[in-house]
Amino acid sequence: MQRIVILVVIGLTLFISIPLLADDHSTEGLFSFLERENDHEKEEHSEKDGNRFYKSQKKISGVSNELYKEECGSCHMAYQPELLPEESWVKVMKGLSEHFGDSAEFDAKDAQSILKYLKENSADKSEAAVSKKLLRRYKGNAPLRISQLPYFIHEHDEIRANVLKRPKIKSWANCAACHRMALQGDYSERNIKIPR
């Protein structure tokens, strides 16, 4: 009997204290508190179990600027602007004369137009879940490569160096080799297939 009384007291205490943690003391406050907890739980699951809730999260947009696709996509994948912060895109575009060992310079007017597109659609202006994750531990040192962002490093830390040497992959820059839907902006784990 004593155990039942103790369990009832604990249950009532929890029932009374949860609304106090919410925005207000009403039942609505209780539900909004539980909803926020559920959202937090979904975010944790999306990182831990193969993006189980990826469908409910805003995704990265595909590249919509034809000039950018033409100029940058002719040598490598035209990376979605949402994968790097604005400061990084500015650095990349300022360094086109020495772009990772090659000259990637082109018409100044076109370069300005592309930079405008990249800045307006950069990770720090995006609502996409992946963009937010990429910037989560970013400390403002403007990396030139997506592969230098802490979140990218964390997500790829189990990939051995010899995997990158495979002819169909070659480097971290070749996102589409493993992320089959990369060009559409989908980097979820369910669409990963590492080439042999």
Side-chain angles (χ1 to χ4, degrees), residues 71-132:
E71 289 293 344
C72 302
S74 62
C75 295
H76 55 73
M77 178 181 148
Y79 302 105
Q80 291 87 2
E82 295 168 278
L83 295 176
L84 277 174
E86 179 178 337
E87 192 179 0
S88 292
W89 288 120
V90 170
K91 262 172 115 172
V92 167
M93 293 301 289
K94 280 184 180 176
L96 290 178
S97 62
E98 183 54 40
H99 187 66
F100 304 107
D102 291 317
S103 174
E105 288 183 294
F106 49 90
D107 180 73
K109 185 180 171 190
D110 288 349
Q112 277 305 110
S113 175
I114 289 172
L115 178 59
K116 182 178 185 288
Y117 167 70
L118 294 170
K119 287 167 69 173
E120 287 174 355
N121 297 282
S122 63
D124 28 9
K125 299 208 173 63
S126 175
E127 290 298 316
V130 171
S131 298
K132 290 180 182 297

Side-chain angles (χ1 to χ4, degrees), residues 15 18 35 39 44 54 56 64 75 85 95 132 145 150 174:
F15 184 76
I18 288 176
E35 197 172 281
D39 288 345
E44 284 182 2
Y54 190 79
S56 66
S64 60
C75 295
K132 290 180 182 297
R145 300 171 189 265
N174 190 7

Side-chain angles (χ1 to χ4, degrees), residues 77 168 172-183 187 193 195:
M77 178 181 148
K168 291 184 180 177
W172 289 123
N174 190 7
C175 303
C178 302
H179 294 273
R180 295 176 297 167
M181 301 295 289
L183 296 176
Y187 293 88
K193 184 170 183 173

